[in-house]
Amino acid sequence: MGTIEEKRDKHFPLFAHDNLFRRLFSSPNEFNSYVSEGQTVADLGCGPGYYTLALAERVGPEGKVHAVDSDEKAIRALERKADKRGCHNIEAHAASAHDLSFIEDGSVDFILANGLLCSMAPQQHESAVDEMKRILKPGGKAYLSAAKGYYSYMSKAEWERILEGFRVEGRGDGSLLGDRWAFVSKKQQ
């Protein structure tokens, strides 16, 4: 009997995260309407900060953004960008989203997990989702998305199982090549 090969998180080249082509289809400010000044945000799978910097500007100096990515190079690139802009409300963490122990329970108003789970090692999906639920405030919201197709570590069935653990407020299955997405909150206990 063969053993199941453990897959690792996928890391994409930094230029793939922030370039003119991406900006044609997705604004860095795309998720700003979900947050307001003074809030705490977690950008999970932040890469070099495509959305992070805009979110940090939106929550202002009284707010905070936890920027988390398992790619150390991406985190260092984000830190350089934040320093250059004088953005001091970002806490950058080179870590996997399956262990967010550096973020307090129930402390986050909004989680952005855009393309996170489909890039994470499959054996870590459940613990990453548990961590999201743990850090989300009562009444907090999260935006989750997962790519479809051969380059994704997530099947449609697993996506549906994950969504069952949340209260789904909006969702979409994307176009033929588009991502699945959902706007969710914690289920009431």
Side-chain angles (χ1 to χ4, degrees):
M1 242 182 174
T3 60
I4 296 174
E5 176 187 339
E6 271 204 22
K7 296 182 179 175
R8 296 180 182 201
D9 292 356
K10 293 180 183 185
H11 295 144
F12 298 95
L14 296 184
F15 69 83
H17 292 279
D18 191 356
N19 58 61
L20 180 60
F21 186 72
R22 184 174 190 187
R23 287 176 184 271
L24 290 173
F25 296 98
S26 174
S27 167
N29 298 309
E30 183 175 343
F31 298 100
N32 284 4
S33 64
Y34 297 122
V35 299
S36 56
E37 200 165 322
Q39 288 189 323
T40 300
V41 174
D43 185 358
L44 306 180
C46 66
Y50 186 73
Y51 298 111
T52 310
L53 295 165
L55 288 166
E57 288 175 14
R58 178 76 171 127
V59 300
E62 301 301 315
K64 181 192 311 188
V65 177
H66 294 282
V68 181
D69 200 287
S70 62
D71 184 351
E72 178 112 15
K73 289 179 187 175
I75 291 297
R76 299 304 151 241
L78 168 60
E79 289 174 332
R80 286 189 299 276
K81 288 178 188 178
D83 285 344
K84 191 181 246 184
R85 289 189 184 189
C87 203
H88 304 293
N89 60 347
I90 297 172
E91 288 186 15
H93 306 274
S96 177
H98 83 277
D99 179 7
L100 302 173
S101 56
F102 45 86
I103 302 176
E104 290 180 40
D105 294 2
S107 65
V108 174
D109 296 288
F110 178 70
I111 295 172
L112 176 60
N114 188 25
L116 170 75
L117 294 168
C118 60
S119 299
M120 286 186 74
Q123 65 273 13
Q124 297 174 345
H125 290 174
E126 186 176 340
S127 56
V129 170
D130 288 345
E131 283 290 83
M132 286 184 232
K133 291 175 185 174
R134 181 186 65 76
I135 66 172
L136 200 58
K137 284 182 178 177
K141 310 284 186 207
Y143 177 89
L144 313 175
S145 74
K148 300 185 291 188
Y150 69 92
Y151 50 86
S152 176
Y153 281 152
M154 179 165 291
S155 68
K156 182 169 177 53
E158 183 180 10
W159 174 251
E160 294 301 327
R161 279 192 304 277
I162 287 169
L163 293 185
E164 287 173 4
F166 291 98
R167 190 172 125 232
V168 177
E169 300 187 13
R171 64 181 294 169
D173 202 32
S175 63
L176 181 62
L177 298 175
D179 294 346
R180 292 181 178 99
W181 63 271
F183 188 60
V184 302
S185 61
K186 284 172 89 166
K187 282 187 171 180
Q188 299 298 326
Q189 304 293 10

